[in-house]
């Protein structure tokens, strides 16, 4: 995968403004009444946009602030935008949140629950073609593996952690640029194996773009808590409390389209999370010696 640059990180590739309400004023909302909400492109932006517009419009109504949705270029772009004061809210991948908390003062507020109200999780996975001689992660020595993007928990760090724990070296890592691209590299036979997390697997099967019967999973990670929606930590406490309350009061219908991309079925309302929820990711970053430039 490309090394993420500051120039690339500063670019926002998709912006859409959601409607205002009469109560949206600069007095009770930061940034002159606008709340900028960033989302990383873990799926194609044109697919994510309609789902997140539903969430953003519902949040606009709850907050009384104009919520402006921004689908950013990548993990690093989102961290940089929040650090530079260009985002008030952001949904990060779990590992991206680790660095956002350290570098951009991001604070987790809520994440995605199932129909029982339980916080959801997902898993990283490594897959091969069904007729491949590779049977387990140890067989990847000297082989090629398509990963998603640097800084992805399931598409980068966890597969590499799995390789490290299994003592596997000399694997040719091919950063494809995203979860769909890593899957496509495997489908097209460009690599010996590819990372496919449980969320990408579910959405690709639903879209008919992945025939699971033609492939096998040879490794799966422990569960990872789902993406947190965060607020920039240097904002006023009253606003942070207001956003948390608004997020937790959203209806299932407001978030279920986003939940479908995150393999949350059936979806429930958002639930509260905190820093401790993502301790496993902080530990992972420490174990792998990951730094901000690695994201």
């Amino acid at each position: 995968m490309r090394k993420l640059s500051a120039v690339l990180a500063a670019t926002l590739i998709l912006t859409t403004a959601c409607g205002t309400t009469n109560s949206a004023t600069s007095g009770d909302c930061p940034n002159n009444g606008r709340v900028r909400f960033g989302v990383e492109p873990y799926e194609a932006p044109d697919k994510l946009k309609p789902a997140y517009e539903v969430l953003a419009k519902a949040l606009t109504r709850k907050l009384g602030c104009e919520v402006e949705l921004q689908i950013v270029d990548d993990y690093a772009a989102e961290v940089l935008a929040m650090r530079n004061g260009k985002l008030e809210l952001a949904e990060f991948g779990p590992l991206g949140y680790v660095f956002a908390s350290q570098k951009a003062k991001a604070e987790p507020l809520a994440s995605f629950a199932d129909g029982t109200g339980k916080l959801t999780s997902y898993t990283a996975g490594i897959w091969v073609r069904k007729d491949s001689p590779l049977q387990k992660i140890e067989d990847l020595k000297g082989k090629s593996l398509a990963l998603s993007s640097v800084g992805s928990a399931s598409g980068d760090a966890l597969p590499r952690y799995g390789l490290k724990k299994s003592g596997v070296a000399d694997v040719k890592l091919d950063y494809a640029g995203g979860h769909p691209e890593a899957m496509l590299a495997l489908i097209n036979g460009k690599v010996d194996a590819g990372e496919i997390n449980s969320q990408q697997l579910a959405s690709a099967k639903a879209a008919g773009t992945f025939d699971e019967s033609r492939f096998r999973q040879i490794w799966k990670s422990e569960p990872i808590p789902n993406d947190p929606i965060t607020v920039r930590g240097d904002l006023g406490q009253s606003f942070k409390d207001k956003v948390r309350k608004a997020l937790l009061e959203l209806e299932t219908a407001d978030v279920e389209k986003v939940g479908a991309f995150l393999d949350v079925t059936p979806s429930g309302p958002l639930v509260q999370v905190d820093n401790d929820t993502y301790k496993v990711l902080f530990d992972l970053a420490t174990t792998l010696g990951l730094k901000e430039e690695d994201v």
Side-chain angles (χ1 to χ4, degrees):
M1 147 124 192
R2 61 203 184 283
K3 254 312 191 190
L4 303 174
S5 67
V7 174
L8 190 63
T11 305
L12 297 177
I13 61 173
L14 177 63
T15 301
T16 180
C18 297
T20 61
T21 65
N22 292 334
S23 60
T25 68
S26 59
D28 57 11
C29 303
N31 194 41
N32 295 319
R34 284 192 308 144
V35 174
R36 295 162 295 184
F37 176 29
V39 178
E40 65 191 26
Y42 59 86
E43 181 59 84
D46 62 335
K47 294 181 180 179
L48 292 178
K49 178 185 172 184
Y52 278 94
E53 280 182 330
V54 174
L55 192 160
K57 288 176 181 177
L59 193 56
T60 290
R61 294 191 297 270
K62 288 286 185 183
L63 282 177
C65 308
E66 178 186 355
V67 177
E68 180 183 275
L69 177 65
Q70 298 181 352
I71 310 294
V72 300
D73 277 340
D74 46 47
Y75 296 92
E78 193 171 21
V79 174
L80 185 65
M82 180 169 274
R83 184 170 64 186
N84 290 344
K86 295 181 179 179
L87 292 175
E88 286 70 48
L89 305 178
E91 180 185 329
F92 289 101
L95 187 59
Y97 161 67
V98 170
F99 295 99
S101 71
Q102 296 169 346
K103 302 298 182 181
K105 301 180 181 179
E107 297 178 8
L109 299 176
S111 188
F112 298 85
D114 62 20
T116 70
K118 180 181 177 182
L119 175 65
T120 55
S121 60
Y122 64 105
T123 56
I126 296 176
W127 290 69
V128 298
R129 290 178 295 280
K130 191 171 184 177
D131 60 358
S132 170
L134 307 180
Q135 299 295 324
K136 55 188 183 301
I137 193 170
E138 289 81 2
D139 296 335
L140 286 172
K141 182 176 181 180
K143 304 299 182 182
S144 56
L145 170 64
L147 296 179
S148 170
S149 54
V150 174
S152 169
S154 62
D156 178 29
L158 280 165
R160 288 199 291 115
Y161 183 58
L163 292 169
K164 183 176 181 178
K165 283 183 66 178
S166 301
V168 183
D170 302 322
V171 178
K172 302 170 186 175
L173 302 180
D174 179 4
Y175 287 95
H179 295 295
E181 291 82 0
M183 175 182 282
L184 193 61
L186 176 62
I187 291 172
N188 290 340
K190 295 184 179 299
V191 288
D192 298 304
E195 73 82 10
I196 303 175
N197 72 21
S198 58
Q199 296 171 339
Q200 180 63 36
L201 177 65
S203 61
K205 286 170 62 178
T209 57
F210 185 74
D211 182 358
E212 188 176 1
S213 68
R214 296 175 52 207
F215 301 89
R216 286 186 288 107
Q217 188 173 47
I218 62 171
W219 175 84
K220 183 170 73 171
S221 74
E222 294 296 318
I224 313 162
N226 231 322
D227 295 6
I229 296 176
T230 72
V231 63
R232 201 173 74 234
D234 61 357
L235 296 171
Q237 189 60 48
S238 62
F239 175 72
K240 291 190 282 188
D241 291 342
K242 181 178 181 179
V243 174
R244 179 185 291 105
K245 183 174 185 291
L247 288 168
L248 297 178
E249 289 180 352
L250 293 178
E251 302 292 334
T252 297
D254 299 328
V255 300
E256 62 185 352
K257 288 188 176 181
V258 172
F261 284 109
L262 299 173
D263 195 22
V264 181
T265 306
S267 180
L270 299 177
V271 293
Q272 186 167 333
V273 294
D274 58 26
N275 212 50
D276 288 342
T277 307
Y278 299 93
K279 183 179 183 301
V280 63
L281 282 309
F282 283 89
D283 293 345
L284 177 66
T286 299
T287 300
L288 290 178
L290 299 179
K291 301 183 183 301
E292 182 187 11
E293 56 266 27
D294 297 318
V295 178

